[in-house]
Amino acid sequence: MQEVYEFLKKAETYYLATVEGDQPRVRPFGTIDLFEGKLYIQTGKRKDVSKQLQANPKAEICAFMNGTWLRVSGTLVRDERIEAKKHMLDQYPALQSMYSAEDDNTEVLYFKEAEAVFSSFTAPPRTVRF
């Protein structure tokens, strides 16, 4: 999982796919964190992406860097603990002007039953499960 985290952190931008009814939705994200052995992302509860994940928590993220792409799929689980939110926001100080660990909007979610696949055109795919 450490390798997955480091790849996403270095890539800086990944794309999160969710569904809204039968319509796929994809958008760029940049927050990634390791906390208590789990891979976390962050958003705001008022955003459509949050509503989509609460209706269907299955999601996938994809990032590309230096000829390799990484896809992580699994179920995203909301963590309401202030400690988890604070840990994420400490990694991204610029977000602290928009979010707070104590507000009703900040949402952090971790991957459960995840599968990460590293792929490229020059090597066979490699899978990591966590």
Side-chain angles (χ1 to χ4, degrees):
M1 184 186 329
Q2 183 70 34
E3 181 183 12
V4 172
Y5 166 75
E6 289 175 9
F7 186 96
L8 293 168
K9 190 78 169 174
K10 286 179 188 171
E12 294 183 355
T13 301
Y14 60 87
Y15 295 85
L16 172 67
T18 60
V19 292
E20 185 174 53
D22 66 350
Q23 178 63 49
R25 301 289 183 194
V26 179
R27 79 281 291 151
F29 262 61
T31 53
I32 197 75
D33 192 21
L34 270 182
F35 179 66
E36 295 182 346
K38 296 176 183 166
L39 187 68
Y40 280 78
I41 67 169
Q42 183 274 330
T43 191
K45 290 180 184 175
R46 295 182 194 112
K47 294 183 177 182
D48 288 343
V49 65
S50 175
K51 295 172 185 119
Q52 293 157 9
L53 287 169
Q54 293 313 303
N56 181 350
K58 291 185 179 179
E60 186 167 277
I61 62 177
C62 184
F64 182 82
M65 180 177 64
N66 300 327
T68 300
W69 60 96
L70 170 65
R71 291 175 36 186
V72 181
S73 57
T75 301
L76 284 169
V77 178
R78 183 186 278 174
D79 188 338
E80 293 286 3
R81 295 177 302 152
I82 290 175
E83 298 84 3
K85 295 176 187 181
K86 182 172 178 359
H87 196 272
M88 174 67 80
L89 293 174
D90 285 347
Q91 308 307 307
Y92 296 92
L95 291 178
Q96 294 177 14
S97 64
M98 298 180 290
Y99 296 101
S100 163
E102 292 86 18
D103 70 21
D104 291 332
N105 184 40
T106 301
E107 178 175 46
V108 294
L109 306 107
Y110 64 86
F111 273 97
K112 177 180 169 187
E113 300 169 356
E115 179 178 275
V117 180
F118 290 91
S119 301
S120 75
F121 291 117
T122 59
R126 189 168 46 85
T127 301
V128 177
R129 290 181 176 84
F130 54 93

